[in-house]
Amino acid sequence: MPRTINASLSTRPAPDTEAFPFEKERRRTLVSRPSVSDSVFRSVAFAAGGITVAIMLAVGVFLSIRASDALGVAGFSFLTEQEWSPESQSFGIASVLFGTITIALIAMCVAVPLALGTALLISEVAQGRLRSTLVTLVDLMAAVPSVVFGLWGVFFLQANVIPVASWISTYFGWIPFFRVSDASGDALTDASAFTSSAFIAGIVVGLMVVPTQTSVMREAFSQAPIGEREAAFALGSTRWGMIQAVVLPFGRGGIIGGTMLGLGRALGETIAVYMIISPIFTINWQLLKTGSNSVSALIALRYGESSAFGLSALMAAGLVLFLLTLVINFTASSIVARSRSGAESD
């Protein structure tokens, strides 16, 4: 008897749509019609993005126009000349660009380990109220003005770093970058030879960019999959082993992106560097020795006393720094975007 019922059910004919025209009326097409609020939000978002791009392009065009006179006179030598004397038609940014990159690289050597350790501490070790307190302290550190860091570097850090710099020069002076010597090649041991150096400026700038790098790295680490974390612990891994196997590989993009964002910030730092360094217009390969320079500090130093042609030369220097920072920030943004989407950056 059950078999007969099943057979009758299985052989039941399908409903005829012609005999039942209302079956066609039930089929509806799904068309998404944005609401007024969605349309307004989309318009405002597109307008904000367009205005941002327009402002950036306007800055680039402005710098290019104002720098055209100086670039027309200097030509390619603007990137290779060390002297800065626009009035005598002999000027270039080789020395200041070298100092800018040197200070930024020293800052990265200081900032990246601190930011990486702080991000791991907040995301993987600290819990509850301690974590929220650390996050607040890092955010507050990002709000400290540059002039405060500059004053701290001049009146406190410099006096305490000079013995360290002297020790490095004494025991690692066989490395050209760490040697401090005079024009004849004799080693200098006087404390005045170690003041206002790229080394001190780099330390201060490095501490300034730590909050930015920490925030990016912490966000990338916090997105590591919970399942993979628990799987590592289930296989007998320690916390450090789990961090090595799961968190660091997943947050690789955040580490690279945060580092490059901090590098862009360090390249453009002005006030703190201006207050610490002793400006020179020669390439100084000795990082611990007095004397360095940067593009932003050069603009701040010479802007008020320059002629019309001198201002054009400063605009050209600013254009080079603008393009360099733009490339670094765009590259960092793309890497951070990939890390947020869960993709690995190889």
Side-chain angles (χ1 to χ4, degrees):
M1 189 65 180
R3 293 181 180 177
T4 305
I5 295 176
N6 292 338
S8 62
L9 292 176
S10 62
T11 58
R12 185 177 180 180
D16 187 3
T17 56
E18 295 181 358
F20 302 94
F22 62 87
E23 292 290 340
K24 293 184 179 180
E25 298 179 358
R26 293 180 180 177
R27 299 178 182 178
R28 298 179 180 179
T29 57
L30 299 177
V31 179
S32 176
R33 295 182 179 179
S35 62
V36 177
S37 59
D38 290 339
S39 300
V40 172
F41 172 76
R42 181 177 298 180
S43 301
V44 172
F46 274 109
I51 291 173
T52 302
V53 175
I55 292 175
M56 187 177 302
L57 292 176
V59 171
V61 172
F62 168 78
L63 290 175
S64 300
I65 294 174
R66 294 295 301 271
S68 59
D69 294 339
L71 292 178
V73 172
F76 184 76
S77 63
F78 183 73
L79 299 176
T80 59
E81 176 65 38
Q82 298 185 34
E83 185 182 356
W84 185 265
S85 181
E87 289 73 16
S88 61
Q89 308 294 313
S90 176
F91 60 95
I93 61 170
S95 59
V96 294
L97 190 60
F98 176 83
T100 301
I101 296 175
T102 299
I103 293 174
L105 292 179
I106 295 174
M108 291 303 99
C109 293
V110 174
V112 172
L114 290 176
L116 181 60
T118 305
L120 289 175
L121 173 64
I122 294 175
S123 63
E124 305 300 327
V125 179
Q127 300 293 332
R129 183 173 298 179
L130 177 59
R131 173 182 294 180
S132 61
T133 302
L134 291 175
V135 172
T136 302
L137 290 176
V138 172
D139 294 339
L140 287 176
M141 185 177 176
V144 177
S146 300
V147 65
V148 175
F149 277 100
L151 291 172
W152 176 76
V154 171
F155 293 104
F156 176 79
L157 181 65
Q158 183 168 249
N160 292 277
V161 167
I162 287 177
V164 178
S166 178
W167 181 86
I168 295 175
S169 176
T170 300
Y171 293 97
F172 296 94
W174 50 273
I175 302 177
F177 292 107
F178 295 147
R179 181 174 178 81
V180 177
S181 59
D182 55 15
S184 61
D186 297 330
L188 299 175
T189 58
D190 188 58
S192 60
F194 299 92
T195 59
S196 304
S197 63
F199 179 65
I200 299 174
I203 294 177
V204 174
V205 176
L207 295 178
M208 293 176 63
V209 303
V210 163
T212 302
Q213 295 180 338
T214 301
S215 299
V216 176
M217 295 180 188
R218 174 171 56 86
E219 183 178 354
F221 294 156
S222 63
Q223 294 178 359
I226 298 178
E228 296 186 15
R229 295 170 182 262
E230 294 178 349
F233 285 129
L235 292 175
S237 176
T238 61
R239 182 178 296 275
W240 173 239
M242 182 274 295
I243 292 174
Q244 285 182 305
V246 179
V247 177
L248 291 180
F250 188 86
R252 187 183 308 165
I255 296 174
I256 299 175
T259 300
M260 297 185 70
L261 285 174
L263 178 60
R265 172 73 173 83
L267 289 172
E269 176 52 39
T270 304
I271 298 300
V273 176
Y274 174 76
M275 296 176 65
I276 294 173
I277 63 172
S278 177
I280 59 173
F281 293 99
T282 57
I283 294 179
N284 184 9
W285 295 95
Q286 300 178 359
L287 305 182
L288 305 177
K289 187 179 178 180
T290 299
S292 184
N293 216 328
S294 72
V295 175
S296 55
L298 170 66
I299 296 174
L301 177 65
R302 297 297 181 91
Y303 182 81
E305 61 185 29
S306 297
S307 61
F309 186 78
L311 287 177
S312 179
L314 292 178
M315 293 295 177
L319 177 62
V320 174
L321 181 61
F322 174 76
L323 295 176
L324 180 62
T325 307
L326 201 63
V327 171
I328 292 176
N329 286 338
F330 272 134
T331 305
S333 298
S334 63
I335 295 175
V336 172
R338 291 185 60 189
S339 68
R340 286 175 178 171
S341 63
E344 287 191 7
S345 301
D346 295 329

